[in-house]
Amino acid sequence: MAVDEADTDRDWAIKAPIRSDPFQMAMIHRTFRREFGDLGALILTLPPRDTRRSTFVGNYLGNLISVLRHHHHAEDELLWPRLEAQIPSAGGSLREPRDEHAVIAAAIDAVESVRLVWARSADPRQAAELGAAIDKLAMHAGEHFDHEERDLVPLIARYITQREWQAFIDRGAAYVKPRNLWFSLAYAGALLRDASPDEQRRFLASLPVTLRTVVTLLGGRAYAGYRTKVYGVE
C-alpha cells in the first residue's frame, strides 16, 4: 500500500517536539548587566557610616547574586548536558561556558568576602574594595553573556525543546523563597522594565495566569520601591 507523504509529514509535525524560544536569556542578561554596573558605581558614592542604607543595598546585591548563581546552576545542570547529548561534536565549545561560570563564581566569592562586612559598617575603604570586586564581576559576567548570546542561544533554540527550556526556567527560579518574595517580584519588574514591548508580551504570556496577574500588578511597583531605596531615585 502506498504511503501518503502528506499524512506522513502531518504525523511527524504532530509528534515532533516543540522547539524552544529562549528569548528570556537576553532579558535576564540585560538586567544583570545594568544592575551590577549601577551598583558598582553607587557603592562608592554612599555616605560613610550610613549603615541603614548600606544594609539595604548589601541585601539587594546579595539577592541579585543568588539569582545569578541559580541561573548558572540551571544551565550547568540542565542546558549544557542536554546540548552535549544532542551535539556530541560540540563538546569542547560547551565546556567553555562551564569554565566561564567558574571564573564568575570566583568573582562572586570576592564580592561576598566583603559585602556583609561593608553592609554592617559602610566603611569607605571596604566600599572601594567592594566596588572594585563588583566591577570585576560585571566584566566577567558581561563577557560570558556575550558568548552565550552569540554562540549558545542559537543552539538552544535549535536543539532544546520548549519543555526542556521551561524546566531550565523553573530551576533558575529556585531562588524564590518566602523571605524574598517582594524582591522576586521586583526582579520580574526589572526584567520587564528593560524589555521591548514584544519581549514584555511574550514574557507575561509565558507565566501561569495567576503569576502573570501578580507580576503585572505588582512587579513594576516592587521594582520602583527597590530603586528608590537603593538609588534614592524613582
Side-chain angles (χ1 to χ4, degrees):
M1 184 174 66
V3 176
D4 188 320
E5 292 185 2
D7 287 345
T8 301
D9 290 343
R10 183 169 58 251
D11 290 344
W12 181 89
I14 292 171
K15 295 175 183 177
I18 300 172
R19 292 299 164 190
S20 62
D21 177 16
F23 70 93
Q24 295 101 321
M25 191 73 89
M27 294 176 64
I28 292 167
H29 291 172
R30 194 180 301 135
T31 297
F32 280 135
R33 291 178 198 270
R34 181 170 53 75
E35 293 297 327
F36 287 135
D38 289 351
L39 284 169
L42 170 74
I43 284 169
L44 299 179
T45 67
L46 290 184
R49 309 302 176 187
D50 184 354
T51 55
R52 181 176 180 180
R53 184 95 174 273
S54 65
T55 296
F56 191 88
V57 172
N59 288 340
Y60 183 69
L61 173 60
N63 276 319
L64 285 171
I65 285 173
S66 177
V67 179
L68 180 58
R69 279 175 163 162
H70 279 89
H71 176 68
H72 283 172
H73 289 163
E75 289 178 339
D76 290 342
E77 293 170 11
L78 298 177
L79 286 187
W80 311 147
R82 184 59 183 157
L83 285 177
E84 286 170 339
Q86 292 278 75
I87 327 168
S89 61
S93 62
L94 290 172
R95 280 193 293 273
E96 291 179 23
R98 290 191 176 96
D99 293 340
E100 291 166 356
H101 285 180
V103 171
I104 292 168
I108 287 174
D109 288 343
V111 171
E112 291 292 78
S113 70
V114 69
R115 176 178 66 86
L116 291 178
V117 177
W118 170 78
R120 289 192 295 264
S121 69
D123 183 278
R125 291 169 298 180
Q126 291 161 349
E129 184 180 349
L130 179 58
I134 295 171
D135 287 345
K136 184 170 288 188
L137 169 60
M139 179 190 70
H140 289 307
E143 292 170 349
H144 170 65
F145 297 156
D146 288 342
H147 174 209
E148 282 192 341
E149 291 169 23
R150 182 184 65 247
D151 298 331
L152 300 174
V153 169
L155 296 180
I156 293 169
R158 182 174 181 181
Y159 292 102
I160 297 296
T161 68
Q162 186 58 38
R163 178 175 295 182
E164 291 166 340
W165 178 252
Q166 188 59 52
F168 160 74
I169 292 293
D170 293 343
R171 171 63 182 83
Y175 71 88
V176 179
K177 307 292 182 187
R179 68 178 181 274
N180 69 359
L181 284 177
W182 194 245
F183 168 81
S184 302
L185 280 172
Y187 182 72
L191 292 175
L192 290 169
R193 179 207 167 184
D194 293 336
S196 69
D198 182 61
E199 287 173 330
Q200 292 173 355
R201 178 188 60 77
R202 292 156 75 192
F203 178 81
L204 290 170
S206 73
L207 302 177
V209 174
T210 301
L211 181 57
R212 183 189 314 158
T213 302
V214 173
V215 169
T216 300
L217 292 175
L218 299 177
R221 185 188 307 176
Y223 182 63
Y226 268 95
R227 289 290 297 186
T228 298
K229 290 182 179 178
V230 170
Y231 296 100
V233 295
E234 292 292 342

